[in-house]
Amino acid sequence: MKHSQRHDAVRSILKKQELTAIVFFGMTNVRYLSGFTGTDGVFICTSSDSAFLTDSRYTTQAKGQVKADRIVCYRNKLQEIADEFSRLGPCRVGFDAESVSVALFDKLKALLSDDVQLVAFSEELEALRASKDEDEIKFLTQAADLNRQAFETILPTIKSGISEKAVALELEFALKKLGGEENSFDFIVASGVRGALPHGVASDKIINEGEFVTIDFGTKVGGYCSDETVTFAVGNVTGKLRQIFDIVLEAHDSALSAVKPGIKIAELDSIARSYIEEHGYGDYFGHGLGHGVGLDIHEYPSVSSRTSDILQQGMVITIEPGIYIPDLGGVRIEDSVVVTSSGYQSLTSIPKQFRQV
């Protein structure tokens, strides 16, 4: 999608909500709308004009990157924003509420005249980035492919006696060597009883024979994140844990096969959750089935039982059911997919069936 089309999407919100302008403070939204990859800037869109505001550190970078009608260099960020609004006269200005603290809001409000009304928005702006275009899907696909290559590179090194942190470090090195820009998040490497921690960031624990290892990792390409979770056995894993793996895999596969445009997201969550509940482990699957992925590792839509949203073509989501039993261990299996016109296309490609190393 061209940036002009993204600006038009913002203008449709302006018209619908009867706003004069929308100001974006969050750098992910700023990047999406302007192309700017730096760390400080503001994007303002009106019905007829777009402006990118930044300081002198980034003016040269902005001239080479930014897609906007105007590039404005400021000395005082909030004052420049206030000046932009004053030129609009009496107006209603929306802002991305998720990116604005109470302190920032109060400081900006103090600089504005009484005829400038600030209007907080959240879900309406989150949905701007929900459906990915071809360029975005290209980056997401490339990032996911780096996951596969890196995992295949380090898998032979994972054995009894290596620490979780060592595995995470080797995985990060492999991704960087392959061209990954930065980690999508702090890698989760959870072995044995630590597998019961859904967010068990890699620790000093040594991986032992007869344990499951869960690795949740991702990298960025073009700013877009990959996200994938693999659980596998080091040595022979039997009993309840082995049974749990098969339950989670079936829940994952069943939900995945149901992905298509038009399905209620809560229904998708229910497919996996009901299967796990039927096997007696409903109390051990506490998180949602997944989430959207893009420039942020967690973005709209939330894939859970608590949403009334419906899957749409172009959305990129994760499917990641899990069972986590304290003092025993856990299993999570995750793939990232893009919703197509008739179903889905998997972005991630590491095999998810049971494997033992």
Side-chain angles (χ1 to χ4, degrees):
M1 184 186 296
K2 301 297 184 183
H3 285 86
S4 60
Q5 292 175 283
R6 297 177 181 179
H7 300 171
D8 287 342
V10 174
R11 290 182 177 117
S12 69
I13 297 175
L14 288 176
K15 184 176 181 180
K16 181 178 179 180
Q17 301 296 335
E18 298 181 339
L19 298 171
T20 311
I22 299 181
V23 55
F24 295 88
F25 289 89
M27 292 312 300
T28 304
N29 282 332
V30 170
R31 177 171 184 164
Y32 178 77
L33 292 167
S34 72
F36 179 68
T37 62
T39 60
D40 194 20
V42 175
F43 187 82
I44 298 174
C45 188
T46 70
S47 60
S48 60
D49 178 66
S50 61
F52 173 75
L53 285 58
T54 192
D55 62 51
S56 60
R57 294 172 298 169
Y58 294 113
T59 51
T60 299
Q61 178 180 343
K63 289 176 182 177
Q65 283 187 329
V66 168
K67 307 299 187 297
D69 295 321
R70 294 182 292 120
I71 296 174
V72 179
C73 182
Y74 55 70
R75 291 194 175 189
N76 184 308
K77 183 177 185 176
L78 294 183
Q79 185 61 60
E80 188 63 47
I81 295 170
D83 291 345
E84 287 283 329
F85 296 159
S86 68
R87 286 190 281 272
L88 297 175
C91 58
R92 278 170 41 89
V93 178
F95 66 93
D96 49 347
E98 296 290 335
S99 304
V100 177
S101 66
V102 173
L104 178 60
F105 177 88
D106 287 344
K107 290 177 182 177
L108 178 59
K109 184 68 175 174
L111 295 172
L112 299 174
S113 60
D114 292 338
D115 58 3
V116 177
Q117 179 185 0
L118 294 176
V119 183
F121 285 93
S122 179
E123 293 181 3
E124 296 89 345
L125 302 186
E126 288 178 343
L128 275 175
R129 307 202 319 260
S131 292
K132 273 57 178 180
D133 62 34
E134 290 183 3
D135 288 338
E136 292 177 289
I137 292 171
K138 179 186 70 174
F139 288 133
L140 288 161
T141 301
Q142 290 173 349
D145 191 55
L146 294 189
N147 272 27
R148 177 188 58 79
Q149 295 181 57
F151 183 75
E152 290 175 352
T153 297
I154 73 153
L155 186 60
T157 71
I158 303 176
K159 58 189 69 176
S160 177
I162 190 173
S163 72
E164 294 173 351
K165 280 186 176 179
V167 172
L169 190 59
E170 289 298 322
L171 191 53
E172 182 173 359
F173 282 161
L175 286 165
K176 291 288 179 61
K177 289 177 181 177
L178 289 165
E181 295 168 356
E182 60 180 306
N183 296 348
S184 297
F185 51 90
D186 290 336
F187 295 167
I188 292 168
V189 181
S191 61
V193 295
R194 292 192 75 252
L197 301 172
H199 281 179
V201 175
S203 73
D204 291 320
K205 180 188 174 301
I206 300 299
I207 295 171
N208 297 307
E209 191 82 6
E211 292 183 335
F212 271 137
V213 179
T214 296
I215 302 179
D216 188 347
F217 68 109
T219 190
K220 294 184 180 182
V221 173
Y224 286 82
C225 303
S226 58
D227 190 6
E228 186 167 13
T229 305
V230 183
T231 299
F232 57 94
V234 173
N236 191 28
V237 175
T238 59
K240 183 182 286 189
L241 277 175
R242 181 64 183 85
Q243 295 170 359
I244 286 171
F245 183 95
D246 291 339
I247 294 168
V248 173
L249 181 61
E250 182 61 30
H252 165 275
D253 291 352
S254 296
L256 196 60
S257 66
V259 172
K260 61 181 179 181
I263 189 172
K264 293 180 179 178
I265 291 177
E267 180 181 339
L268 198 63
D269 179 278
S270 179
I271 290 171
R273 196 169 304 279
S274 296
Y275 187 83
I276 290 174
E277 289 173 348
E278 289 167 7
H279 287 78
Y281 293 101
D283 291 340
Y284 302 100
F285 177 26
H287 57 73
L289 180 62
H291 53 86
V293 182
L295 285 169
D296 286 326
I297 189 60
H298 290 97
E299 59 181 51
Y300 181 87
S302 171
V303 183
S304 76
S305 61
R306 297 184 297 276
T307 179
S308 60
D309 293 326
I310 294 173
L311 278 189
Q312 300 175 21
Q313 183 176 346
M315 285 182 169
V316 173
I317 62 170
T318 67
I319 300 293
E320 50 179 304
I323 295 175
Y324 315 93
I325 303 179
D327 302 319
L328 179 64
V331 173
R332 181 166 67 255
I333 298 171
E334 176 188 20
D335 279 301
S336 296
V337 302
V338 56
V339 182
T340 64
S341 59
S342 59
Y344 72 93
Q345 175 187 340
S346 185
L347 300 174
T348 46
S349 58
I350 298 172
K352 299 306 188 299
Q353 69 269 21
F354 177 79
R355 80 164 89 190
Q356 179 179 318
V357 299

